[in-house]
Amino acid sequence: MKISLIDPLVVDDKKIEAHKKKLEELGHEFEYFKESAKSDDEIIKRLENSEVAMITNNKFSRNVIENTNLKLIDVAFTGVDHVDLKACDENNIIVENASGYSDDSVAELVIGLIISVMRKFDLNKKNMYEDENNNLLGQVIKGKKVGVVGTGKIGLRVIELLKAFGAEILAYNRSEKDKAKKLGAKYVSLEELLKESDIVTIHLPQNDETIGFIGQKELDLMKDKSILINCARGPIVDNNYLAKLLNEDKLRAGIDVFDMEPPIDKNYPLRNAKNAVLTNHIAFFTQEAMNIRCDIVFDNLYKFLNGEISNRVN
């Protein structure tokens, strides 16, 4: 079987070479690329005669899927909204992901963004270079109500960290999780969570049900000067309206994801908004997460070659 890793996994080459050697010893052909493909045509060319594609977070379109002979798409990412799952189903292609690889990395950036917004890192930095001391008064997490929207693995990890800071946790999810309750989270309606929380952090997947989930109505429910954190997916939030509220000093925000992948267009409202700390989709991007991700996707692969399916998403 021919296997193609068409995107770099950002780990030591020795790790990839070790897997290449093992796969060849098992009688398979393994090819990997050190730079991501720039177009559908380039992806299709890389996948010529391949039955397995190992990919990261670049778009994997119907055009690509229908011009290959794949049996498995092994996604080195948690979200798979960049893969045309309908086309995969129609072409009997199994899609697996690397769920869980960046739970700690994302959860820690959530805390970092909360602290950055509350301690006004972006604004206070300027005061280091001014003649007068105009330091801006900050806040602490302890005692604040934090609303966690989505209590999957990352949401639960965020709750654990927030409890260590002494926050009161409100939670919203389609189904209540015993672990969240044991950590002291109180499940409430989305409306109550938005109205009562000093900080709201989003941990939902992007799908047809969640695009625009936090829209104008929901944003208007939030407390004056409260903080919205989004390290999930950009389109879950109405970012144009969010930017409006930020510029009107009604909300504050820490944002790692947008309606497009960085670089962000100069005219994109969030890029120019006040009261926002922005990071360039780096929540998942740590050395530790990259190594865990590599281990998961190769484990998915070996199990598939052995007739087992794990982490299937379609």
Side-chain angles (χ1 to χ4, degrees):
M1 186 173 288
K2 184 179 178 183
I3 301 146
S4 296
L5 171 58
I6 67 168
D7 298 313
L9 290 180
V10 199
V11 295
D12 193 315
D13 281 351
K14 292 179 182 178
K15 195 165 188 174
I16 303 298
E17 284 292 336
H19 285 296
K20 178 179 171 66
K21 181 179 179 181
K22 180 177 179 179
L23 288 163
E24 289 174 347
E25 289 173 351
L26 292 170
H28 303 288
E29 181 183 352
F30 180 75
E31 182 178 25
Y32 69 97
F33 297 85
K34 295 185 178 182
E35 293 184 359
S36 294
K38 301 293 191 296
S39 66
D40 279 8
D41 288 344
E42 190 175 353
I43 295 173
I44 291 167
K45 185 177 180 180
R46 290 184 180 189
L47 292 174
E48 188 175 2
N49 300 320
S50 297
E51 293 173 271
V52 176
M54 302 176 76
I55 71 172
T56 56
N57 62 326
N58 288 324
K59 187 175 182 181
F60 213 76
S61 68
R62 175 178 287 274
N63 177 42
V64 169
I65 290 161
E66 292 184 343
N67 283 282
T68 57
N69 295 298
L70 297 173
K71 295 181 179 178
L72 171 69
I73 300 174
D74 192 1
V75 183
F77 222 62
T78 300
V80 293
D81 45 283
H82 57 297
V83 178
D84 191 325
L85 294 180
K86 185 177 180 182
C88 290
D89 289 339
E90 292 171 0
N91 288 275
N92 298 311
I93 300 170
I94 294 167
V95 181
E96 301 184 8
N97 73 350
S99 177
Y101 79 94
S102 62
D103 293 355
D104 288 319
S105 297
V106 175
E108 288 187 15
L109 186 67
V110 168
I111 302 300
L113 283 174
I114 291 172
I115 293 172
S116 295
V117 175
M118 296 183 82
R119 302 302 289 268
K120 304 178 183 178
F121 282 3
D122 55 332
L123 298 174
N124 272 315
K125 181 180 178 181
K126 299 175 184 177
N127 295 326
M128 291 192 294
Y129 312 111
E130 295 179 355
D131 293 335
E132 296 182 17
N133 186 341
N134 295 311
N135 288 341
L136 300 168
L137 199 63
Q139 296 172 290
V140 299
I141 296 173
K142 184 177 181 179
K144 300 295 186 295
K145 286 186 179 180
V146 183
V148 179
V149 181
T151 54
K153 291 180 179 178
I154 295 175
L156 288 171
R157 184 65 182 130
V158 168
I159 291 172
E160 288 179 327
L161 296 178
L162 287 167
K163 290 300 291 184
F165 280 88
E168 179 183 343
I169 308 297
L170 301 179
Y172 172 81
N173 201 62
R174 286 190 301 180
S175 58
E176 297 184 2
K177 303 289 181 66
D178 288 339
K179 183 175 180 179
K181 292 179 181 178
K182 289 178 182 177
L183 288 169
K186 177 185 176 184
Y187 279 98
V188 296
S189 68
L190 181 62
E191 181 177 346
E192 182 177 347
L193 181 148
L194 295 170
K195 285 182 176 179
E196 296 296 326
S197 297
D198 302 297
I199 303 160
V200 174
T201 178
I202 300 168
H203 300 288
L204 299 172
Q206 181 179 317
N207 53 45
D208 291 342
E209 295 178 5
T210 61
I211 291 176
F213 190 78
I214 304 297
Q216 180 174 339
K217 175 185 173 183
E218 287 74 27
L219 292 169
D220 280 339
L221 290 173
M222 292 180 64
K223 292 169 66 172
D224 190 44
K225 307 294 187 193
S226 61
I227 298 169
L228 179 71
I229 304 293
N230 188 4
C231 289
R233 285 290 186 271
I236 293 172
V237 177
D238 182 339
N239 290 307
N240 290 336
Y241 192 69
L242 172 61
K244 177 179 180 292
L245 296 181
L246 293 171
N247 287 326
E248 293 172 354
D249 296 320
K250 293 181 179 178
L251 293 180
R252 295 175 287 166
I255 306 293
D256 184 56
V257 289
F258 309 91
D259 294 291
M260 71 293 290
E261 287 298 311
I264 304 300
D265 185 85
K266 291 180 181 178
N267 296 318
Y268 183 63
L270 271 184
R271 173 171 167 163
N272 304 302
K274 297 193 302 179
N275 297 307
V277 175
L278 309 180
T279 51
N280 57 321
H281 199 183
I282 57 166
F284 70 97
F285 201 58
T286 64
Q287 185 179 66
E288 293 81 1
M290 295 301 96
N291 281 306
I292 294 169
R293 178 175 78 165
C294 182
D295 292 341
I296 292 174
V297 292
F298 275 101
D299 184 61
N300 287 346
L301 173 63
Y302 292 125
K303 286 180 178 176
F304 175 79
L305 297 174
N306 198 38
E308 302 174 44
I309 304 297
S310 59
N311 296 317
R312 184 169 186 168
V313 296
N314 69 328

